[in-house]
Amino acid sequence: AQSVTQLGSHVSVSEGALVLLRCNYSSSVPPYLFWYVQYPNQGLQLLLKYTSAATLVKGINGFEAEFKKSETSFHLTKPSAHMSDAAEYFCAVTLTQGGSEKLVFGKGTKLTVNP
Amino acid sequence: DTEVTQTPKHLVMGMTNKKSLKCEQHMGHRAMYWYKQKAKKPPELMFVYSYEKLSINESVPSRFSPECPNSSLLNLHLHALQPEDSALYLCASSQEGGRIETQYFGPGTRLLVL
């Protein structure tokens, strides 16, 4: 069954430093993977998604992620953190059930950006 | 327009009350979802509607009753809730519910059950 594991429930970086949020997947079929961001008291916003077209995926706000099949990973990176990047980040995979698709989320990583 | 709207933003209800949450989208999407999110936890799927028919029910207690009156509107009727049902309830929609489709989320309704 498809699932994702996010390593590190909290990540803290300095403003201007590299952001690296880790996500590993488990899937018996080609996975479709997503990164969502949630700001406090808000819904989820899609950052980027992998749908097998290209292994390096660029998203909004300067984020990108690389799909590595050999490592079963889909880590999220940003070269230079901004204060506005402080939020909760969720990795997700789609799972087929009853003819419909559902998103299964990782436990989330809270990103703190220090001035 | 990629907006999903949810009303109300906040709701406080007693355990004997009946209330409803409303979700609306005008993107022409045919799949709509209800998620429940507890504090510091990821969203958990509750229901999926595909073409206005319930396609996934994640064994949600009957005190939660979803309804999809038309392709743009999704309701969640609440009755006899428990304090542990207090959470952020998120609605989402996608084009047709396919594997690679983006789900667009609303801002959520924060529910407090007293």
Side-chain angles (χ1 to χ4, degrees):
Chain A
Q2 288 93 314
S3 66
V4 290
T5 301
Q6 291 184 243
L7 299 175
S9 58
H10 289 84
V11 170
S12 182
V13 300
S14 299
E15 192 173 18
L18 171 72
V19 176
L20 171 61
L21 304 181
R22 299 177 187 273
C23 174
N24 287 88
Y25 68 90
S26 170
S27 177
S28 58
V29 297
Y32 296 106
L33 295 158
F34 301 77
W35 274 102
Y36 279 86
V37 61
Q38 186 175 31
Y39 298 100
N41 299 314
Q42 294 189 25
L44 278 73
Q45 181 183 11
L46 180 73
L47 282 175
L48 49 83
K49 65 181 181 183
Y50 168 75
T51 58
S52 77
T55 56
L56 183 61
V57 183
K58 294 187 182 297
I60 63 171
N61 302 340
F63 285 93
E64 63 181 38
E66 186 172 7
F67 175 76
K68 291 186 176 181
K69 186 176 180 180
S70 60
E71 298 178 8
T72 62
S73 68
F74 189 57
H75 302 331
L76 182 71
T77 61
K78 182 174 180 177
S80 177
H82 294 172
M83 296 295 290
S84 60
D85 294 327
E88 188 87 25
Y89 291 80
F90 293 99
C91 183
V93 66
T94 52
L95 175 65
T96 302
Q97 179 176 321
S100 291
E101 305 295 333
K102 68 177 192 179
L103 277 176
V104 177
F105 290 91
K107 292 187 175 181
T109 298
K110 183 176 182 179
L111 176 65
T112 301
V113 182
N114 303 306
Chain B
D1 181 14
T2 57
E3 188 178 25
V4 176
T5 59
Q6 291 187 242
T7 54
K9 288 187 176 181
H10 301 274
L11 179 62
V12 180
M13 60 186 291
M15 291 189 284
T16 58
N17 293 157
K18 286 185 180 181
K19 298 287 185 181
S20 296
L21 309 184
K22 179 181 175 181
C23 172
E24 205 160 2
Q25 56 86 15
H26 296 287
M27 296 178 277
H29 289 174
R30 304 310 299 268
M32 296 186 76
Y33 311 77
W34 279 117
Y35 289 85
K36 174 182 178 180
Q37 186 179 25
K38 302 283 279 185
K40 302 186 187 301
K41 297 289 186 182
E44 294 181 345
L45 183 68
M46 300 174 72
F47 303 104
V48 179
Y49 272 83
S50 180
Y51 289 85
E52 298 152 52
K53 292 186 178 179
L54 184 65
S55 61
I56 295 180
N57 177 342
E58 293 285 61
S59 302
V60 178
S62 59
R63 57 185 183 269
F64 295 91
S65 176
E67 178 195 20
C68 189
N70 59 60
S71 60
S72 300
L73 187 58
L74 184 66
N75 298 319
L76 186 63
H77 302 297
L78 314 173
H79 173 56
L81 295 192
Q82 303 297 309
E84 60 264 29
D85 296 321
S86 299
L88 181 68
Y89 288 84
L90 294 164
C91 174
S93 71
S94 67
Q95 192 73 34
E96 293 187 345
R99 291 194 72 197
I100 63 172
E101 293 172 10
T102 298
Q103 290 188 20
Y104 295 90
F105 284 81
T109 293
R110 191 162 297 278
L111 173 67
L112 177 62
V113 182
L114 300 176

